[in-house]
Amino acid sequence: MTDRTTTEAEQIRRSQQGDEQAFGELMRHYYRLVVSIAYRLCNDPQLAEDIAQDTFLKAWQALPRFRPRGEEVTGFRAWLCRIAVNTAIDEMRRQRPVTDLDQVPLTGGTRPAEAFERVEDAEAVRAAIARLPERSRAALILREYEGLSYQEIAEALDIPIGTVMSRLNYARKRLREELESQFNPSK
Amino acid sequence: MPDDHQRWSQWLTAFHDGELAAPHRKRVQEHVSVCPHCQRALAELHRLREMLQTVTVPWATMQSPGEAWQQVANRLERRRPASTASAHWFQWFPPTGLLILNVVTQIAGTVSLVIMVLSALGLIDLRDVWEQLNRGYAFQANQVLGWLLLRTVAEPLGWGASLISPSPEWQPAADYVLSTVFFGFLGLVISIGYVLSLWLLWRNSQRQAHYGGKHGSH
């Protein structure tokens, strides 16, 4: 184990025993990960910060019951991602609609792959991600932005690895279709 | 060969995500090198990844981890039980007081029960016992508490001793029986209060354990 892993494992154990200072160190380390997940799921910076705080409060409450399945630190990261995703989805359902989909151009049929190459607009990508079903979006975000392995995503979303792969495939296929058509409506 | 490409699509995705073991990775590389369709599909996956990276989080306008922790720490502080270690011993007052009261009432209640049983067997006359009680010789706790309940609660509701007394001369004994019954009820209430106060104490100690003792909150 690396020094960071050892330190983190110790911080997790101390946090489980009620040490707020250790939990604060964990939160500082994982805060951007949680905010990033929340923001990419809900597209609202303020809401993402609120979700992140709620995520850490829930994590603090649930920590005494946290039992990593495999390696402690990666298990903790997946566990935290799970709380973040569930908190974000709950909050989005409560506050729906967060993303104003009326502002996003509607898509047509399949477009040639060449048009796909010209897509540069980050807002369009963001909107296309927002159109994905929640669970596929979560799988895509955890993989593409947070770099979680299939195993970690499976733990975070509480689904089998096969389902992770199919959700990722579906999300990518949908994104390709959305983005190809959106920037080449004439074809 | 659409079926074949469909089959390779999952492999390409796993390859693209770096999730394949070395032998499988080599196999995919060999296939991609001779399959234009899969080369395109893999290039699209790479392109999609590049596009996804254009979406960034507006960190500049958001809280730093330290600021966010400060807010979370404040929320934890607000949720923490107000009592401190120095005040812990006060928590034992309610259960201890109720326990003492319970012991006293249970002893008095048991004695009362014995008297009632003896009376039912014809071994003693309750009217004599009542006279003794009135003279203040015994069972004061029982009598006073039950009597208070009888006078303040039962009689205003029309449930006084006259209800069960067959004749005026039995009135004191009926009074005593009802006092005992109400006293038993009081004992039950005290017992429930005792259990409840112990449960509250236990729950409080659990919360104390979860929120920790003296930890810095930055």
Side-chain angles (χ1 to χ4, degrees):
Chain A
M1 286 207 292
T2 64
D3 284 349
R4 170 67 212 163
T5 310
T6 312
T7 308
E8 202 171 308
E10 180 59 26
Q11 285 169 347
I12 293 168
R13 274 191 289 276
R14 279 166 50 207
S15 300
Q16 286 186 302
Q17 291 159 5
D19 187 334
E20 281 184 15
Q21 193 164 349
F23 184 69
E25 285 156 14
L26 277 177
M27 182 176 158
R28 282 192 186 86
H29 182 67
Y30 283 110
Y31 180 71
R32 287 188 189 272
L33 166 76
V34 172
V35 168
S36 174
I37 292 170
Y39 174 72
R40 293 179 199 284
L41 278 168
C42 73
N43 279 319
D44 181 330
Q46 182 61 51
L47 185 60
E49 287 178 340
D50 293 344
I51 290 168
Q53 286 193 19
D54 288 346
T55 297
F56 283 103
L57 282 170
K58 286 179 187 174
W60 170 253
Q61 286 172 329
L63 252 176
R65 298 189 300 279
F66 167 65
R67 297 286 178 271
R69 285 178 201 165
E71 210 267 301
E72 192 164 24
V73 172
T74 50
F76 178 77
R77 184 165 74 145
W79 179 76
L80 195 60
C81 288
R82 183 179 189 162
I83 299 176
V85 168
N86 289 336
T87 306
I89 288 176
D90 288 348
E91 196 59 34
M92 287 188 309
R93 284 178 184 162
R94 211 166 60 79
Q95 302 211 355
R96 194 181 295 272
V98 170
T99 303
D100 186 359
L101 293 181
D102 290 341
Q103 300 299 313
V104 181
L106 294 173
T107 56
T110 307
R111 301 288 188 249
E114 290 78 19
F116 176 66
E117 304 256 320
R118 297 199 297 270
V119 177
E120 295 292 339
D121 192 335
E123 285 308 311
V125 178
R126 197 194 310 275
I129 295 171
R131 288 180 190 284
L132 292 173
E134 284 165 351
R135 295 291 169 183
S136 298
R137 199 186 329 161
L140 183 90
I141 288 167
L142 293 178
R143 173 65 230 170
E144 292 291 348
Y145 293 108
E146 314 311 334
L148 266 65
S149 67
Y150 286 0
Q151 179 61 45
E152 286 179 293
I153 298 172
E155 283 177 33
L157 301 182
D158 199 22
I159 52 176
I161 286 185
T163 310
V164 172
M165 293 175 74
S166 61
R167 283 188 187 172
L168 281 174
N169 260 340
Y170 174 78
R172 285 165 170 157
K173 185 168 173 284
R174 275 278 303 269
L175 282 181
R176 284 202 299 271
E177 289 171 3
E178 289 258 351
L179 296 171
E180 282 171 5
S181 60
Q182 200 166 311
F183 291 94
N184 193 12
S186 59
K187 292 192 181 177
Chain B
M1 303 207 298
D3 289 344
D4 197 37
H5 291 311
Q6 191 70 32
R7 189 168 63 82
W8 278 101
S9 139
Q10 290 260 347
W11 286 91
L12 282 179
T13 306
F15 175 80
H16 169 70
D17 286 329
E19 291 276 344
L20 288 184
H24 293 121
R25 202 163 54 236
K26 190 165 180 290
R27 203 175 146 205
V28 172
Q29 279 171 330
E30 285 170 0
H31 172 76
V32 170
S33 66
V34 296
C35 176
H37 185 279
C38 286
Q39 282 171 13
R40 244 188 339 269
L42 196 57
E44 280 189 4
L45 283 172
H46 288 318
R47 177 70 182 132
L48 181 64
R49 180 159 288 166
E50 283 171 15
M51 289 167 55
L52 288 170
Q53 295 311 315
T54 63
V55 179
T56 53
V57 180
W59 295 117
T61 62
M62 298 175 88
Q63 287 178 325
S64 69
E67 290 167 335
W69 165 242
Q70 189 58 60
Q71 290 194 350
V72 169
N74 289 341
R75 287 171 72 178
L76 288 177
E77 185 71 34
R78 284 200 296 274
R79 288 182 179 195
R80 189 178 299 131
S83 58
T84 61
S86 60
H88 279 175
W89 62 278
F90 281 112
Q91 297 176 47
W92 291 95
F93 270 18
T96 308
L98 285 167
L99 179 65
I100 293 167
L101 197 57
N102 202 22
V103 169
V104 171
T105 55
Q106 291 306 323
I107 290 170
T110 305
V111 172
S112 298
L113 187 68
V114 170
I115 290 171
M116 285 171 71
V117 170
L118 292 176
S119 170
L121 295 172
L123 298 175
I124 59 168
D125 188 338
L126 270 183
R127 285 170 295 184
D128 294 341
V129 174
W130 181 249
E131 281 171 16
Q132 284 197 350
L133 287 174
N134 277 345
R135 286 199 297 272
Y137 287 142
F139 319 124
Q140 285 299 312
N142 181 351
Q143 187 194 4
V144 171
L145 290 171
W147 183 87
L148 275 173
L149 269 175
L150 190 64
R151 292 287 177 275
T152 58
V153 180
E155 286 185 349
L157 293 171
W159 300 338
S162 56
L163 266 184
I164 61 165
S165 175
S167 63
E169 64 171 356
W170 277 91
Q171 179 82 20
D175 221 16
Y176 174 73
V177 169
L178 277 184
S179 293
T180 305
V181 169
F182 280 109
F183 177 75
F185 173 73
L186 188 68
L188 185 68
V189 171
I190 291 170
S191 297
I192 291 170
Y194 173 64
V195 172
L196 195 65
S197 65
L198 274 184
W199 177 77
L200 284 171
L201 199 63
W202 173 81
R203 196 187 67 161
N204 203 24
S205 69
Q206 291 292 104
R207 291 184 69 192
Q208 292 276 346
H210 177 68
Y211 282 101
K214 302 280 187 185
H215 300 301
S217 61
H218 297 254

